[in-house]
Amino acid sequence: MGFSGCSMNEQIKTIDETGDRKYFTILQNFIFDLPLSVYSFRVYAHIKRVAGEGGVCWQAIRTIAKRCKISPSSVSRAVKELQKFGLIDVTKIANPTNGYSYTEIRIRDVWKHNMNYFNMTEEQREEQRQFWEENRP
């Protein structure tokens, strides 16, 4: 089973509410300072890229794993880590018409966090990085 009780072949709908445009992917700079695992960083960048301007991605865990060149279990762990850092929300949604359910990944709008982080002094940012590291999920 994958994250949130999903099977590895279950389709996942990803919704990006950040308003980014097609043909490029924007990652807020503070993401680079979060103590994310390399897998979480890779999965986050991938789902941001695939969701694109339309804000929706329908890929199974196995597809995400294949594209990111990591195992399906690593994708599941990465998604949980991204949730704990508040970068994404994951919701299991039942489809009332056919009885099947799917998992929706919503990329949270973190631009305000990015702006607040870079409005800090370098000393404050260092304290924030230490806090993140000490309280790592």
Side-chain angles (χ1 to χ4, degrees):
M1 293 301 269
F3 60 88
S4 303
C6 303
S7 71
M8 295 297 177
N9 291 322
E10 181 178 344
Q11 296 294 309
I12 300 170
K13 176 183 177 185
T14 302
I15 298 171
D16 186 347
E17 296 180 326
T18 61
D20 301 342
R21 301 288 182 236
K22 294 188 225 186
Y23 310 117
F24 59 90
T25 302
I26 297 173
L27 296 178
Q28 297 82 358
N29 284 330
F30 91 101
I31 302 290
F32 292 86
D33 286 352
L34 288 172
L36 294 172
S37 70
V38 294
Y39 299 122
S40 294
F41 187 88
R42 178 67 174 103
V43 168
Y44 184 72
H46 176 76
I47 61 176
K48 287 275 289 177
R49 176 181 175 241
V50 173
E53 184 175 7
V56 177
C57 162
W58 291 93
Q59 289 188 337
I61 292 171
R62 288 190 190 279
T63 302
I64 294 170
K66 182 178 178 181
R67 300 277 166 76
C68 292
K69 298 179 179 31
I70 60 177
S71 70
S73 60
S74 292
V75 172
S76 295
R77 284 190 301 275
V79 166
K80 287 178 185 175
E81 184 177 4
L82 294 169
Q83 280 182 275
K84 289 177 181 174
F85 273 107
L87 298 174
I88 62 172
D89 292 318
V90 178
T91 307
K92 186 103 169 169
I93 299 177
N95 185 334
T97 58
N98 64 14
Y100 294 105
S101 64
Y102 63 92
T103 301
E104 176 182 278
I105 298 175
R106 185 173 299 272
I107 301 168
R108 296 182 73 187
D109 186 349
V110 293
W111 283 106
K112 183 176 180 180
H113 299 294
N114 188 70
M115 295 302 295
N116 289 341
Y117 180 72
F118 285 101
N119 281 327
M120 294 178 180
T121 65
E122 181 53 41
E123 183 178 295
Q124 290 169 321
R125 284 196 300 273
E126 180 57 34
E127 289 173 10
Q128 181 65 60
R129 288 188 293 270
Q130 287 175 348
F131 175 81
W132 286 331
E133 191 63 48
E134 291 167 4
N135 295 284
R136 188 177 194 166

